Amino acid sequence: MRAVLLFGSVLLLAGCGAATNLKPAKGESLPIAPYGAKATPTPAELLKPSDQARPARSDELLKRSQERRSDEFSLPPPN
């Protein structure tokens, strides 16, 4: 029984890694071109996240340390 469950789970996991080129379903077409675009985007272009969705990392170093101003709302918890 354990062997059957193990074999079944291996088959299920093996199917997860199968990736092919994306194509529209039969009888369907790609979405129309967005407003202002000159051409309809390809599936690869539609899957690429925009700069706003994945902003670039900022590696700016701290140039000088500064004292933090006091926070009036940082109060100790009530007893």
Side-chain angles (χ1 to χ4, degrees):
M1 183 66 179
R2 272 181 120 175
V4 173
L5 288 175
L6 180 65
F7 183 70
S9 62
V10 169
L11 281 177
L12 287 174
L13 287 175
C16 292
T20 60
N21 291 337
L22 296 176
K23 296 177 185 170
K26 280 192 172 183
E28 299 291 324
S29 63
L30 287 173
I32 60 171
Y35 181 76
K38 295 180 181 175
T40 301
T42 64
E45 292 171 342
L46 289 171
L47 288 175
K48 183 181 177 195
S50 66
D51 292 336
Q52 187 174 7
R54 296 197 70 172
R57 180 178 167 184
S58 174
D59 292 332
E60 184 178 325
L61 299 174
L62 184 63
K63 305 283 187 216
R64 60 185 173 148
S65 60
Q66 298 173 341
E67 282 289 322
R68 294 175 111 185
R69 65 182 186 90
S70 65
D71 185 5
E72 303 87 38
F73 298 104
S74 179
L75 302 174
N79 290 332

